[in-house]
Amino acid sequence: MYILGFDIGGTKCAVVTAQWDGSHISLLKKKIHPTDLSISPEDMIKKLIETADSLLDKKPDGIGISCGGPLDASRGIITGPPNLPGWDHVEIVRQLTEHYQVPVKLQNDANACAVAEWKFGAGKGCRNMVFMTFGTGLGAGLILNNTLYVGTNGNAGELGHIRLSDFGPVGFGKTGSFEGFCSGNGIAQLGLIKALEKAQLGEYPMYFKKGYTQSDVTAKTVADAARAGDQTALDVYRTCGSYLGKGLSIVIDLLNPEKIVIGSIFERCHDLLWESARKEIEKEALSLSASCCQIVPAILGEQIGDYAAIAVALL
């Protein structure tokens, strides 16, 4: 299959082509297009079509679209993602189908990434797999019985909304949520909270010296300080890892997957997170379920968005 993919984001969109032989995927060409929010979504899609037409070597056999939600995948409609203001009730599948006259499929980005890691990455060959983004936020996609599970109205897999504590950083609009503890924004919040506690005692962590502001505290600056031996930074990542283990234990007990694949920060900071997470899983999860579940970093890396758009076409 010769496939065309669109990865649509709030600041940029990628248009990619690929060849799939049933077992191996080859990315062929790619162009990145800035997302122009000053024009209508329909006109932006026309620009993406022009970009795609300049890439294509022949008519595609199928088209996949990965986009942040909310969206209605069954009807092919984008329904107002926070990072795409003005994109309300955008019939993107209809617009692309009319132009290319081939099957076009749409999925939210977490589901699309789950399918990509399942078909091409760390979850290849799994029957039951959970994918978690662990980036700016915490999104997830569920592969159950060799099928992407989306739920009754497409909202399955919103693991980030689970409350793990009555207190803690805010994520997904909820204090102490899974996303609050296990996301880039959440780690930054934890880092700032612990740094301010230290500052009250006249101590300043490496990542929050005198004169620093809230914007200086990020998941990366805290991770860099942790690797340099800063104890407050290490404590931030131990806390994050512990709550990651609590959340994963719920997933393991509820879904009994054979593999949980985690991207972004978990890939980059596995050394800072895993020991605390592992101890929590040993304490909280059913041993029979935990024993058959591997928890591994995603392997598609920075190209996962490209693979995700292509993977949607193969659903």
Side-chain angles (χ1 to χ4, degrees):
M1 290 181 66
Y2 180 60
I3 302 168
L4 174 63
F6 295 88
D7 181 23
I8 298 178
T11 56
K12 60 182 175 62
C13 301
V15 183
V16 294
T17 60
Q19 193 76 38
W20 168 249
D21 66 5
S23 61
H24 180 72
I25 190 73
S26 298
L27 296 180
L28 302 175
K29 295 180 181 179
K30 174 180 176 178
K31 280 190 178 179
I32 294 176
H33 204 302
T35 306
D36 189 347
L37 297 174
S38 69
I39 61 176
S40 71
E42 290 74 18
D43 286 340
M44 183 63 213
I45 294 166
K46 286 178 183 176
K47 285 190 173 186
L48 293 176
I49 288 172
E50 290 172 4
T51 301
D53 287 347
S54 71
L55 281 183
L56 289 169
D57 296 319
K58 58 182 180 179
K59 183 176 180 176
D61 297 306
I63 297 172
I65 310 161
S66 170
C67 180
L71 51 80
D72 187 333
S74 63
R75 297 168 61 206
I77 298 171
I78 297 171
T79 56
N83 65 337
L84 290 168
W87 285 54
D88 302 315
H89 202 84
V90 177
E91 297 182 0
I92 188 169
V93 167
R94 177 191 57 76
Q95 196 169 345
L96 291 175
T97 302
E98 288 176 354
H99 183 81
Y100 290 106
Q101 298 296 307
V102 299
V104 180
K105 296 172 184 174
L106 170 69
Q107 272 297 335
N108 72 56
D109 48 5
N111 282 347
C113 289
V115 177
E117 284 287 348
W118 175 46
K119 286 190 173 293
F120 316 132
K124 194 172 182 180
C126 287
R127 183 177 180 83
N128 296 295
M129 185 203 91
V130 175
F131 171 79
M132 295 167 52
T133 57
F134 204 152
T136 304
L138 182 70
L142 311 176
I143 306 297
L144 303 178
N145 290 326
N146 278 331
T147 302
L148 174 66
Y149 179 75
V150 298
T152 302
N153 66 352
N155 283 307
E158 297 291 9
L159 303 182
H161 198 246
I162 297 170
R163 194 189 300 276
L164 298 178
S165 172
D166 289 335
F167 303 98
V170 177
F172 225 124
K174 183 182 282 187
T175 300
S177 65
F178 201 168
E179 179 172 283
F181 284 104
C182 299
S183 65
N185 285 336
I187 291 170
Q189 290 178 61
L190 276 172
L192 183 63
I193 291 166
K194 290 182 183 290
L196 292 174
E197 289 174 354
K198 290 291 184 181
Q200 292 293 316
L201 302 173
E203 303 172 18
Y204 291 87
M206 190 180 297
Y207 62 87
F208 194 70
K209 299 292 188 185
K210 279 188 178 181
Y212 281 20
T213 65
Q214 180 176 338
S215 62
D216 294 309
V217 183
T218 67
K220 184 180 186 307
T221 60
V222 178
D224 290 343
R227 292 198 174 100
D230 184 272
Q231 291 303 308
T232 305
L234 286 165
D235 186 43
V236 170
Y237 271 89
R238 280 193 293 266
T239 300
C240 176
S242 177
Y243 278 96
L244 175 64
K246 289 179 188 293
L248 291 176
S249 296
I250 294 171
V251 175
I252 290 168
D253 287 352
L254 184 65
L255 298 176
N256 191 205
E258 61 198 278
K259 193 170 283 189
I260 300 174
V261 179
I262 313 177
S264 298
I265 292 170
F266 188 75
E267 291 177 64
R268 297 189 292 271
C269 300
H270 186 271
D271 57 319
L272 300 174
L273 293 164
W274 179 240
E275 187 60 21
S276 297
R278 182 187 62 77
K279 288 178 180 177
E280 203 66 36
I281 292 167
E282 287 181 355
K283 184 172 71 174
E284 293 290 337
L286 287 166
S287 59
L288 282 175
S289 298
S291 66
C292 68
C293 179
Q294 287 183 287
I295 299 166
V296 300
I299 64 172
L300 296 180
E302 297 301 319
Q303 287 187 296
I304 192 167
D306 303 335
Y307 285 108
I310 295 299
V312 172
L314 300 176
L315 281 170

